[in-house]
Amino acid sequence: MLGDKQRDSEEDDEDDEDDSDSSKGSSFVASIRRFIAGFLGIWGCLRSVHNMLNIPSQSFPAPSSQQRVSSSGQSGRSKVALKPGHSLMDWIRFSKSGKDLTGLRGRLIEVTEEELKKHNTRNDCWTCIRGLVYNVTPYMDYHPGGEEELMRAAGIDGTDLFDQVHRWVNYESMLKECLVGKMATKATKAIRAIIPPPPPPLTGLSQPTTLAPPHDKDSRPRYDWFQTDGTVHLVVYAKRKIPSSGCTTVDLKAGVLRVEVMLGKMSYIIHLCLADEVEGNISVNTASSVGKIQVSIRKQAKGKWTSLGQPMEFHNTFLLKKDRAPYYRDCVLVSKTDVNHNTHMFRLQLPRGTVMHVPVGKHVYLKALIQDTEVVRPYTPVDQDLTAASQLSSQESDLYLMIKIYPDGVFTKHLNSLNIGDHVSISGPEGPFTVRPLRDVTHLYLLAAGTGFTPMARLIQLAQDHDSIRKNKLLFFNRREEDILWRCQLDELAANNDKFQVEYVLSEPCESWTGRTGRIDESMLQDFLKKPDGSKYYVCVCGPTAFTDLAIRLLKQQGISDGELHTFCG
């Protein structure tokens, strides 16, 4: 995933992309994507400020904050060359220098629409995001998308533009020193409108309530529970067929149970403070064909409970995934091994009481506090190795993240400094990719550049066990031979499996290199995309923005339709 694009915003290079997921959209959204690219960071660092403004805490992070979703052919962000001394870390240092970045000498004001419109020039630029107004003038030279893209939101409410691209980033943290104030009454009401009313008291088996019910109320999941003297069981009825793993994430911590079931674009959440003390381990069993999920927990003391517990925020709600914020849990770094000269495999252990499997093509967010600023980056988990698909326990598994370390990167430098036993905050699965389009596919083609390989790794494994897929081909672009990730495993799989083929392309080859060279072009794709009569094919692309844009254009020229293409965009 990133999708998953695992890199700091200033870390993009031509052959190594974040592999974050997105889907397709219009060219207008692509330009908006570039404008928002500079609002980097992660959730929830503006507590002191929003307390001053008396804004409900549920707004931070806003429920809609998550990875942006574009369509499968949608290109990613574009970047401009920043002046020396204008990296993300330089901005963090500058914003903490004590200088007045608002022009108001520390005052917070209410801003009317008329006042906001006045500040629409390069040297006086205000914008509004989710009811809060920022003076982004000082940020102009630090914005990776360039001032022209940032100026698209000058003097207006940029919330919709922001949400189309980077719902997951923590603009509150990155721009907190630029906060002018909040929008006057109209915008403030809009903020409070997204705060749901408190759920009714839970008595026995309460009937489900919903924050945003789907059109067909009968399709809404429901839950029930039953118990024995020693155990308590929560049962979710999804009312549809579901995957055997990957759609349910369960967290049990300090007597609080949180269950999230991902059903297409929707998210069903159970969130309870349990009625009595329980043991830390849990088990999750799924009946895929009937859409039933059972969570079982052992009681610390035998006896009957009169209720399951008391509801907490967003309990028993059925929301669009984009309308709920990522939920983080602390994982432990248990090992770090070399993949190549600049890429490591980080193995992270989930906390006791958490059951989480990341589906193929999905990513997670990692969150860290760096110089008092929260920073978030998306990464796509891989399996431990490529030659044998992971035999995941139905109850627990570690996460493996293949991450390239950039010497000047803010986030990867921090990750590389962690010691075994240190903690990392990780979200649940995110991203729009689904394996449903692969149902009847006979030929799966993968185009990857650099760390854009990470979402492809598990797709390759999936293809080995997929009955309909007869051919799976990977065209893998890198700068140099030593940059190729998992080359030995890829070669071994290709040698032992007639279904899989791999070809490497280098832009900076050594003299002894005998394989393909150069960059992606029309003739290369013509050789790669063999489409026998009667075949059904699907193409996945992941790489840097320039690579992705060119690949999409060339694929469209080859007759690949939107329904036959998915792009993991950066």
Side-chain angles (χ1 to χ4, degrees):
M1 216 142 45
L2 213 236
D4 298 323
K5 347 247 130 190
Q6 345 259 81
R7 71 190 48 255
D8 298 330
S9 64
E10 77 274 18
E11 293 170 351
D12 247 335
D13 63 33
E14 182 172 324
D15 289 319
D16 286 295
E17 151 188 7
D18 323 28
D19 41 299
S20 263
D21 275 26
S22 33
S23 20
K24 322 183 335 206
S26 64
S27 58
F28 170 74
V29 176
S31 63
I32 298 306
R33 182 180 297 284
R34 293 191 293 272
F35 139 57
I36 297 295
F39 288 158
L40 297 172
I42 50 145
W43 299 117
C45 208
L46 195 59
R47 301 192 182 281
S48 60
V49 175
H50 75 69
N51 286 339
M52 294 169 58
L53 296 175
N54 195 30
I55 296 174
S57 61
Q58 294 93 327
S59 296
F60 295 89
S64 62
S65 295
Q66 72 169 41
Q67 175 196 18
R68 77 264 179 248
V69 175
S70 70
S71 54
S72 57
Q74 182 69 32
S75 66
R77 64 180 181 270
S78 293
K79 298 191 176 187
V80 299
L82 296 175
K83 300 175 183 177
H86 287 77
S87 68
L88 173 60
M89 286 306 300
D90 291 319
W91 167 252
I92 292 175
R93 295 187 192 100
F94 178 64
S95 67
K96 297 182 183 302
S97 65
K99 294 183 179 180
D100 177 18
L101 303 187
T102 65
L104 299 177
R105 297 182 180 180
R107 292 184 297 117
L108 295 174
I109 64 174
E110 280 200 344
V111 182
T112 63
E113 290 186 8
E114 291 74 17
E115 180 65 25
L116 180 62
K117 291 177 183 177
K118 297 176 183 177
H119 304 272
N120 63 353
T121 66
R122 165 63 177 83
N123 296 319
D124 181 17
C125 182
W126 290 10
T127 191
C128 175
I129 303 177
R130 206 158 282 114
L132 298 180
V133 179
Y134 299 91
N135 180 357
V136 296
T137 312
Y139 187 59
M140 286 285 180
D141 290 336
Y142 296 85
H143 181 231
E147 67 177 62
E148 291 184 5
E149 301 300 339
L150 199 58
M151 286 296 295
R152 292 178 183 272
I156 65 173
D157 188 325
T159 302
D160 289 342
L161 307 182
F162 179 85
D163 281 348
Q164 290 180 38
V165 182
H166 275 308
R167 293 185 183 94
W168 56 274
V169 303
N170 190 8
Y171 61 90
E172 302 104 321
S173 176
M174 296 302 300
L175 297 177
K176 63 182 178 180
E177 302 301 332
C178 300
L179 182 65
V180 171
K182 63 181 180 180
M183 287 297 291
T185 309
K186 183 177 180 180
T188 305
K189 288 180 179 178
I191 294 177
R192 289 176 178 163
I194 67 174
I195 308 302
L202 184 67
T203 57
L205 302 180
S206 64
Q207 291 300 312
T209 59
T210 184
L211 189 64
H215 295 300
D216 181 3
K217 293 184 179 180
D218 289 338
S219 69
R220 187 188 187 285
R222 68 179 183 87
Y223 79 96
D224 203 339
W225 71 285
F226 65 95
Q227 62 180 315
T228 66
D229 280 346
T231 58
V232 60
H233 307 273
L234 172 71
V235 182
V236 175
Y237 300 95
K239 299 185 179 180
R240 68 209 77 192
K241 292 183 178 180
I242 57 177
S244 58
S245 66
C247 73
T248 305
T249 301
V250 182
D251 293 280
L252 175 62
K253 182 178 180 181
V256 175
L257 176 68
R258 185 182 187 276
V259 179
E260 182 169 12
V261 183
M262 309 298 260
L263 302 170
K265 295 180 179 181
M266 304 298 290
S267 168
Y268 181 60
I269 296 177
I270 300 295
H271 198 190
L272 292 163
C273 181
L274 296 175
D276 208 339
E277 294 182 353
V278 295
E279 296 182 1
N281 292 330
I282 58 177
S283 65
V284 180
N285 294 286
T286 302
S288 305
S289 60
V290 296
K292 176 181 174 182
I293 302 151
Q294 180 171 310
V295 179
S296 300
I297 311 170
R298 293 191 64 84
K299 301 175 181 177
Q300 280 197 2
K302 291 186 176 182
K304 296 295 185 181
W305 291 5
T306 57
S307 71
L308 185 55
Q310 292 299 314
M312 301 189 70
E313 185 181 24
F314 296 119
H315 169 67
N316 211 18
T317 55
F318 193 33
L319 308 171
L320 288 168
K321 288 190 292 186
K322 69 181 183 63
D323 291 334
R324 57 102 179 102
Y327 178 85
Y328 289 89
R329 71 276 302 150
D330 282 337
C331 296
V332 177
L333 177 62
V334 295
S335 70
K336 182 176 70 173
T337 56
D338 293 340
V339 177
N340 66 9
H341 64 101
N342 61 7
T343 303
H344 304 312
M345 181 76 82
F346 291 78
R347 181 179 179 180
L348 298 162
Q349 185 179 67
L350 297 169
R352 186 187 183 203
T354 293
V355 174
M356 181 176 80
H357 300 302
V358 181
V360 173
K362 301 290 188 181
H363 62 274
V364 295
Y365 296 121
L366 271 61
K367 178 171 68 171
L369 190 66
I370 301 175
Q371 292 197 2
D372 297 325
T373 298
E374 282 188 328
V375 182
V376 165
R377 293 292 182 268
Y379 294 92
T380 302
V382 298
D383 286 325
Q384 187 173 6
D385 58 61
L386 187 64
T387 55
S390 298
Q391 300 299 314
L392 295 176
S393 162
S394 61
Q395 306 308 325
E396 59 184 356
S397 65
D398 293 342
L399 289 178
Y400 294 86
L401 300 175
M402 188 184 295
I403 299 175
K404 179 177 177 180
I405 306 301
Y406 297 84
D408 299 326
V410 174
F411 200 80
T412 60
K413 187 176 180 179
H414 168 77
L415 289 178
N416 202 36
S417 71
L418 295 178
N419 297 314
I420 304 304
D422 286 347
H423 289 250
V424 180
S425 293
I426 296 181
S427 79
E430 299 282 347
F433 181 83
T434 172
V435 298
R436 190 174 297 112
L438 303 181
R439 188 176 306 161
D440 300 319
V441 164
T442 60
H443 290 65
L444 177 61
Y445 298 104
L446 309 175
L447 301 173
T451 53
F453 167 73
T454 56
M456 308 305 183
R458 294 181 68 197
L459 279 171
I460 292 170
Q461 292 175 318
L462 176 70
Q464 304 313 303
D465 299 323
H466 200 291
D467 292 337
S468 72
I469 296 178
R470 301 195 300 268
K471 184 64 66 177
N472 174 209
K473 298 175 66 175
L474 169 67
L475 193 59
F476 195 1
F477 295 79
N478 286 276
R479 287 187 175 179
R480 294 171 294 274
E481 196 169 355
E482 61 266 29
D483 296 328
I484 301 174
L485 300 170
W486 274 358
R487 183 181 181 183
C488 290
Q489 295 192 43
L490 289 168
D491 289 343
E492 181 180 350
L493 182 62
N496 297 324
N497 192 308
D498 293 337
K499 180 187 288 190
F500 177 68
Q501 294 180 6
V502 60
E503 188 168 8
Y504 308 107
V505 185
L506 300 183
S507 59
E508 299 177 12
C510 63
E511 292 183 0
S512 61
W513 178 255
T514 59
R516 282 189 181 270
T517 62
R519 306 185 185 280
I520 188 170
D521 58 29
E522 183 177 2
S523 62
M524 199 179 292
L525 282 185
Q526 286 177 344
D527 292 340
F528 180 67
L529 296 174
K530 302 298 183 183
K531 297 177 282 188
D533 292 340
S535 64
K536 182 177 180 181
Y537 44 86
Y538 197 77
V539 184
C540 293
V541 181
C542 189
T545 301
F547 169 85
T548 300
D549 288 346
L550 180 56
I552 292 171
R553 186 162 66 251
L554 294 172
L555 288 167
K556 293 294 180 68
Q557 292 175 3
Q558 295 291 320
I560 303 297
S561 67
D562 291 343
E564 298 165 330
L565 171 67
H566 181 87
T567 305
F568 300 94
C569 290

PDB file of all heavy atoms in Angstrom, residues 268-284:
ATOM      1  N   TYR A 268     -18.139  -1.524  10.141  1.00  0.00           N
ATOM      2  CA  TYR A 268     -19.046  -1.776  11.256  1.00  0.00           C
ATOM      3  C   TYR A 268     -18.211  -1.902  12.526  1.00  0.00           C
ATOM      4  O   TYR A 268     -17.263  -2.686  12.578  1.00  0.00           O
ATOM      5  CB  TYR A 268     -19.842  -3.055  11.018  1.00  0.00           C
ATOM      6  CG  TYR A 268     -20.831  -3.382  12.115  1.00  0.00           C
ATOM      7  CD1 TYR A 268     -21.855  -2.498  12.444  1.00  0.00           C
ATOM      8  CD2 TYR A 268     -20.741  -4.579  12.821  1.00  0.00           C
ATOM      9  CE1 TYR A 268     -22.765  -2.793  13.441  1.00  0.00           C
ATOM     10  CE2 TYR A 268     -21.655  -4.881  13.828  1.00  0.00           C
ATOM     11  CZ  TYR A 268     -22.668  -3.990  14.132  1.00  0.00           C
ATOM     12  OH  TYR A 268     -23.564  -4.288  15.135  1.00  0.00           O
ATOM     13  N   ILE A 269     -18.542  -1.112  13.552  1.00  0.00           N
ATOM     14  CA  ILE A 269     -17.720  -1.039  14.760  1.00  0.00           C
ATOM     15  C   ILE A 269     -18.532  -1.404  15.999  1.00  0.00           C
ATOM     16  O   ILE A 269     -19.637  -0.889  16.205  1.00  0.00           O
ATOM     17  CB  ILE A 269     -17.117   0.364  14.937  1.00  0.00           C
ATOM     18  CG1 ILE A 269     -16.154   0.672  13.787  1.00  0.00           C
ATOM     19  CG2 ILE A 269     -16.375   0.479  16.265  1.00  0.00           C
ATOM     20  CD1 ILE A 269     -15.548   2.063  13.828  1.00  0.00           C
ATOM     21  N   ILE A 270     -17.960  -2.297  16.810  1.00  0.00           N
ATOM     22  CA  ILE A 270     -18.455  -2.593  18.154  1.00  0.00           C
ATOM     23  C   ILE A 270     -17.393  -2.086  19.123  1.00  0.00           C
ATOM     24  O   ILE A 270     -16.218  -2.437  19.005  1.00  0.00           O
ATOM     25  CB  ILE A 270     -18.672  -4.105  18.361  1.00  0.00           C
ATOM     26  CG1 ILE A 270     -19.685  -4.650  17.354  1.00  0.00           C
ATOM     27  CG2 ILE A 270     -19.107  -4.398  19.793  1.00  0.00           C
ATOM     28  CD1 ILE A 270     -21.068  -4.091  17.522  1.00  0.00           C
ATOM     29  N   HIS A 271     -17.780  -1.254  20.070  1.00  0.00           N
ATOM     30  CA  HIS A 271     -16.808  -0.642  20.984  1.00  0.00           C
ATOM     31  C   HIS A 271     -17.425  -0.603  22.393  1.00  0.00           C
ATOM     32  O   HIS A 271     -18.337   0.174  22.647  1.00  0.00           O
ATOM     33  CB  HIS A 271     -16.461   0.773  20.511  1.00  0.00           C
ATOM     34  CG  HIS A 271     -15.203   1.308  21.101  1.00  0.00           C
ATOM     35  ND1 HIS A 271     -14.819   2.632  20.973  1.00  0.00           N
ATOM     36  CD2 HIS A 271     -14.213   0.715  21.829  1.00  0.00           C
ATOM     37  CE1 HIS A 271     -13.663   2.819  21.577  1.00  0.00           C
ATOM     38  NE2 HIS A 271     -13.286   1.683  22.111  1.00  0.00           N
ATOM     39  N   LEU A 272     -16.909  -1.456  23.275  1.00  0.00           N
ATOM     40  CA  LEU A 272     -17.527  -1.647  24.580  1.00  0.00           C
ATOM     41  C   LEU A 272     -16.500  -1.678  25.711  1.00  0.00           C
ATOM     42  O   LEU A 272     -15.407  -2.227  25.534  1.00  0.00           O
ATOM     43  CB  LEU A 272     -18.280  -2.986  24.614  1.00  0.00           C
ATOM     44  CG  LEU A 272     -19.519  -3.127  23.738  1.00  0.00           C
ATOM     45  CD1 LEU A 272     -19.863  -4.601  23.576  1.00  0.00           C
ATOM     46  CD2 LEU A 272     -20.680  -2.362  24.347  1.00  0.00           C
ATOM     47  N   CYS A 273     -16.880  -1.102  26.815  1.00  0.00           N
ATOM     48  CA  CYS A 273     -16.159  -1.347  28.068  1.00  0.00           C
ATOM     49  C   CYS A 273     -16.845  -2.546  28.711  1.00  0.00           C
ATOM     50  O   CYS A 273     -17.998  -2.465  29.139  1.00  0.00           O
ATOM     51  CB  CYS A 273     -16.225  -0.128  28.977  1.00  0.00           C
ATOM     52  SG  CYS A 273     -15.340  -0.346  30.536  1.00  0.00           S
ATOM     53  N   LEU A 274     -16.162  -3.681  28.726  1.00  0.00           N
ATOM     54  CA  LEU A 274     -16.787  -4.927  29.143  1.00  0.00           C
ATOM     55  C   LEU A 274     -17.256  -4.883  30.589  1.00  0.00           C
ATOM     56  O   LEU A 274     -16.694  -4.156  31.427  1.00  0.00           O
ATOM     57  CB  LEU A 274     -15.817  -6.086  28.932  1.00  0.00           C
ATOM     58  CG  LEU A 274     -15.432  -6.356  27.469  1.00  0.00           C
ATOM     59  CD1 LEU A 274     -14.378  -7.447  27.390  1.00  0.00           C
ATOM     60  CD2 LEU A 274     -16.657  -6.719  26.631  1.00  0.00           C
ATOM     61  N   ALA A 275     -18.279  -5.682  30.869  1.00  0.00           N
ATOM     62  CA  ALA A 275     -18.941  -5.628  32.170  1.00  0.00           C
ATOM     63  C   ALA A 275     -18.057  -6.113  33.315  1.00  0.00           C
ATOM     64  O   ALA A 275     -18.251  -5.704  34.464  1.00  0.00           O
ATOM     65  CB  ALA A 275     -20.228  -6.441  32.124  1.00  0.00           C
ATOM     66  N   ASP A 276     -17.094  -6.990  33.038  1.00  0.00           N
ATOM     67  CA  ASP A 276     -16.255  -7.527  34.105  1.00  0.00           C
ATOM     68  C   ASP A 276     -14.871  -7.827  33.534  1.00  0.00           C
ATOM     69  O   ASP A 276     -14.641  -7.713  32.329  1.00  0.00           O
ATOM     70  CB  ASP A 276     -16.890  -8.791  34.699  1.00  0.00           C
ATOM     71  CG  ASP A 276     -16.504  -9.000  36.166  1.00  0.00           C
ATOM     72  OD1 ASP A 276     -15.468  -8.431  36.578  1.00  0.00           O
ATOM     73  OD2 ASP A 276     -17.216  -9.725  36.875  1.00  0.00           O
ATOM     74  N   GLU A 277     -13.951  -8.239  34.402  1.00  0.00           N
ATOM     75  CA  GLU A 277     -12.574  -8.471  33.976  1.00  0.00           C
ATOM     76  C   GLU A 277     -12.463  -9.755  33.159  1.00  0.00           C
ATOM     77  O   GLU A 277     -13.148 -10.746  33.432  1.00  0.00           O
ATOM     78  CB  GLU A 277     -11.656  -8.545  35.199  1.00  0.00           C
ATOM     79  CG  GLU A 277     -11.552  -7.211  35.944  1.00  0.00           C
ATOM     80  CD  GLU A 277     -10.593  -7.289  37.116  1.00  0.00           C
ATOM     81  OE1 GLU A 277     -10.122  -8.403  37.426  1.00  0.00           O
ATOM     82  OE2 GLU A 277     -10.297  -6.232  37.713  1.00  0.00           O
ATOM     83  N   VAL A 278     -11.587  -9.695  32.161  1.00  0.00           N
ATOM     84  CA  VAL A 278     -11.375 -10.834  31.260  1.00  0.00           C
ATOM     85  C   VAL A 278      -9.879 -11.053  31.091  1.00  0.00           C
ATOM     86  O   VAL A 278      -9.056 -10.193  31.425  1.00  0.00           O
ATOM     87  CB  VAL A 278     -12.027 -10.592  29.886  1.00  0.00           C
ATOM     88  CG1 VAL A 278     -13.534 -10.512  30.001  1.00  0.00           C
ATOM     89  CG2 VAL A 278     -11.475  -9.326  29.230  1.00  0.00           C
ATOM     90  N   GLU A 279      -9.542 -12.219  30.557  1.00  0.00           N
ATOM     91  CA  GLU A 279      -8.154 -12.494  30.234  1.00  0.00           C
ATOM     92  C   GLU A 279      -7.766 -11.775  28.945  1.00  0.00           C
ATOM     93  O   GLU A 279      -8.617 -11.384  28.150  1.00  0.00           O
ATOM     94  CB  GLU A 279      -7.929 -14.003  30.103  1.00  0.00           C
ATOM     95  CG  GLU A 279      -8.159 -14.750  31.416  1.00  0.00           C
ATOM     96  CD  GLU A 279      -7.895 -16.240  31.297  1.00  0.00           C
ATOM     97  OE1 GLU A 279      -7.509 -16.683  30.175  1.00  0.00           O
ATOM     98  OE2 GLU A 279      -8.073 -16.954  32.293  1.00  0.00           O
ATOM     99  N   GLY A 280      -6.466 -11.623  28.708  1.00  0.00           N
ATOM    100  CA  GLY A 280      -6.005 -10.804  27.595  1.00  0.00           C
ATOM    101  C   GLY A 280      -6.110 -11.446  26.234  1.00  0.00           C
ATOM    102  O   GLY A 280      -6.217 -10.758  25.223  1.00  0.00           O
ATOM    103  N   ASN A 281      -6.073 -12.765  26.175  1.00  0.00           N
ATOM    104  CA  ASN A 281      -6.116 -13.437  24.878  1.00  0.00           C
ATOM    105  C   ASN A 281      -7.547 -13.561  24.364  1.00  0.00           C
ATOM    106  O   ASN A 281      -8.488 -13.748  25.138  1.00  0.00           O
ATOM    107  CB  ASN A 281      -5.485 -14.825  24.975  1.00  0.00           C
ATOM    108  CG  ASN A 281      -3.989 -14.741  25.218  1.00  0.00           C
ATOM    109  OD1 ASN A 281      -3.342 -13.788  24.794  1.00  0.00           O
ATOM    110  ND2 ASN A 281      -3.435 -15.727  25.902  1.00  0.00           N
ATOM    111  N   ILE A 282      -7.688 -13.480  23.052  1.00  0.00           N
ATOM    112  CA  ILE A 282      -9.000 -13.618  22.425  1.00  0.00           C
ATOM    113  C   ILE A 282      -8.868 -14.563  21.240  1.00  0.00           C
ATOM    114  O   ILE A 282      -7.774 -14.800  20.733  1.00  0.00           O
ATOM    115  CB  ILE A 282      -9.558 -12.267  21.943  1.00  0.00           C
ATOM    116  CG1 ILE A 282      -8.589 -11.618  20.935  1.00  0.00           C
ATOM    117  CG2 ILE A 282      -9.815 -11.327  23.092  1.00  0.00           C
ATOM    118  CD1 ILE A 282      -9.089 -10.326  20.368  1.00  0.00           C
ATOM    119  N   SER A 283      -9.981 -15.119  20.801  1.00  0.00           N
ATOM    120  CA  SER A 283     -10.002 -15.928  19.584  1.00  0.00           C
ATOM    121  C   SER A 283     -11.098 -15.402  18.676  1.00  0.00           C
ATOM    122  O   SER A 283     -12.139 -14.927  19.144  1.00  0.00           O
ATOM    123  CB  SER A 283     -10.231 -17.410  19.902  1.00  0.00           C
ATOM    124  OG  SER A 283     -11.511 -17.604  20.469  1.00  0.00           O
ATOM    125  N   VAL A 284     -10.833 -15.463  17.369  1.00  0.00           N
ATOM    126  CA  VAL A 284     -11.784 -14.987  16.368  1.00  0.00           C
ATOM    127  C   VAL A 284     -12.014 -16.100  15.359  1.00  0.00           C
ATOM    128  O   VAL A 284     -11.061 -16.629  14.782  1.00  0.00           O
ATOM    129  CB  VAL A 284     -11.259 -13.730  15.647  1.00  0.00           C
ATOM    130  CG1 VAL A 284     -12.270 -13.251  14.605  1.00  0.00           C
ATOM    131  CG2 VAL A 284     -10.953 -12.615  16.649  1.00  0.00           C
TER     132      VAL A 284
END
